[in-house]
Amino acid sequence: MGREYPAIRSIAANVAAGEAAGYRLIEHFALPETDWLDSYYAPVARRVGEVRTRHPNDPVADEVLRSIDEEIETYRDCSSDYGYVFYVFQRD
């Protein structure tokens, strides 16, 4: 993940950063895997297929679409290792 998203940190590191900035953690939660797979990546994958059909010989489109395919596969393969977490902090 470091190459694709160098700023990625653990939950503990994000909480520590919020607390160091003078906030108190109220709650945090991760988006469920199904939100990503069913509600986001499935429609994106369909759209990738549509764009690929309309631009079959476009090297720029091909590069972008392959990058999106890789992102989807990375999430499918590694979703237990990373995700999106929402934090609710309150100023102390």
Side-chain angles (χ1 to χ4, degrees):
M1 283 314 309
R3 186 184 85 218
E4 291 83 7
Y5 187 51
I8 197 166
R9 298 187 295 195
S10 68
I11 292 171
N14 285 330
V15 170
E19 290 172 344
Y23 294 88
R24 179 174 56 86
L25 179 68
I26 303 298
E27 184 65 63
H28 73 280
F29 63 93
L31 281 180
E33 192 175 293
T34 55
D35 285 4
W36 285 101
L37 293 174
D38 301 341
S39 300
Y40 180 68
Y41 284 129
V44 167
R46 282 191 298 274
R47 185 73 173 128
V48 164
E50 293 168 7
V51 173
R52 190 169 273 130
T53 299
R54 282 202 318 259
H55 302 278
N57 299 311
D58 184 333
V60 173
D62 188 55
E63 182 179 339
V64 170
L65 298 173
R66 270 191 290 171
S67 173
I68 295 168
D69 287 338
E70 285 179 23
E71 177 185 340
I72 294 169
E73 283 307 307
T74 298
Y75 187 77
R76 283 188 181 129
D77 294 344
C78 304
S79 61
S80 62
D81 297 325
Y82 74 96
Y84 282 85
V85 178
F86 290 85
Y87 301 86
V88 178
F89 285 94
Q90 183 176 34
R91 170 95 49 207
D92 276 342

